[in-house]
Amino acid sequence: MIKDILASHEDRMKKSIEALKREYASLRAGRATPALLDKVMVDYYGAPTPVNQIAKVAVPEPRMILIQPYEKSILHDIEVAIMKSELGLSPNSDGTAIRLAIPALTQERRQELVKTVNKKAEDAKVAIRNVRRDGNDEIKKLEKSKEVTEDESKRGQESIQKLVDKYIKLVDATKESKEKEVMEV
């Protein structure tokens, strides 16, 4: 019973780490990556659609993203969506493809990004701690209903705490890696 609780809550902690990594991938760190466009939605026949589903996204150079729409008619729509996005990039179209030049980051912008990186890491830690609280509550309910002993309950709560410690370390390692990437010149 407690093993099931531990397994399901560890799964939720893993998902928090994955979500953090996805968030970090969409942060512009001075290098081109197709993940930058993950949150850019294009109005495609009335439905908001991610760019990577309606166009081929490639990185031919470290500071360049090349977007080749599958239909030329949506080229302008993609340009508009990129300009409206929070990326702060200017699309350059040649009629068949869009090129996005990724400018080098200023020191000020790097510091802003580090703050964002830290905030997202803290959000992930809060999510992991919430999972711990939920797990501990479930274990305490089992103890109250006499389905597990007090010792088993304590061991289960200690196991959840060990998982929390493990995933908090993962969040910190991921955060440090992203900070290093952002601060690279």
Side-chain angles (χ1 to χ4, degrees), residues 17 20 125 128-129 161-177:
I17 297 288
L20 177 67
K125 288 180 183 180
I128 289 170
R129 290 184 193 119
Q161 184 58 47
K162 285 178 185 168
L163 285 175
V164 168
D165 294 342
K166 172 184 165 186
Y167 283 96
I168 294 284
K169 280 182 185 168
L170 265 172
V171 167
D172 287 336
T174 306
K175 177 187 76 147
E176 286 173 25
S177 166

Side-chain angles (χ1 to χ4, degrees), residues 31-153:
R31 248 190 268 144
T33 170
L36 281 176
L37 300 172
D38 284 354
K39 292 183 180 177
V40 177
M41 296 294 185
V42 179
D43 184 33
Y44 185 60
Y45 294 108
T49 310
V51 172
N52 61 7
Q53 290 183 13
I54 56 175
K56 179 182 169 204
V57 179
V59 181
E61 302 170 26
R63 292 194 185 274
M64 175 77 62
I65 297 177
L66 182 65
I67 305 164
Q68 295 173 306
Y70 299 132
E71 297 176 33
K72 287 193 173 121
S73 61
I74 57 171
L75 189 73
H76 180 71
D77 295 335
I78 294 173
E79 280 185 90
V80 170
I82 291 169
M83 284 190 272
K84 285 183 180 177
S85 74
E86 299 172 1
L87 292 174
L89 298 174
S90 299
N92 183 2
S93 172
D94 64 6
T96 59
I98 299 171
R99 286 179 174 68
L100 289 176
I102 311 293
L105 295 174
T106 63
Q107 191 61 29
E108 194 175 290
R109 180 70 180 130
R110 288 177 200 278
Q111 289 167 343
E112 283 176 31
L113 280 172
V114 167
K115 285 179 188 172
T116 304
V117 164
N118 288 326
K119 183 184 180 329
K120 290 186 185 306
E122 194 52 46
D123 291 346
K125 288 180 183 180
V126 167
I128 289 170
R129 290 184 193 119
N130 287 341
V131 172
R132 172 185 57 197
R133 184 195 61 224
D134 294 347
N136 286 341
D137 289 350
E138 284 184 42
I139 290 172
K140 287 175 187 170
K141 280 182 194 168
L142 290 175
E143 183 185 346
K144 232 178 211 169
S145 65
K146 305 277 189 234
E147 292 180 51
V148 297
T149 66
E150 191 177 326
D151 287 346
E152 288 173 320
S153 171

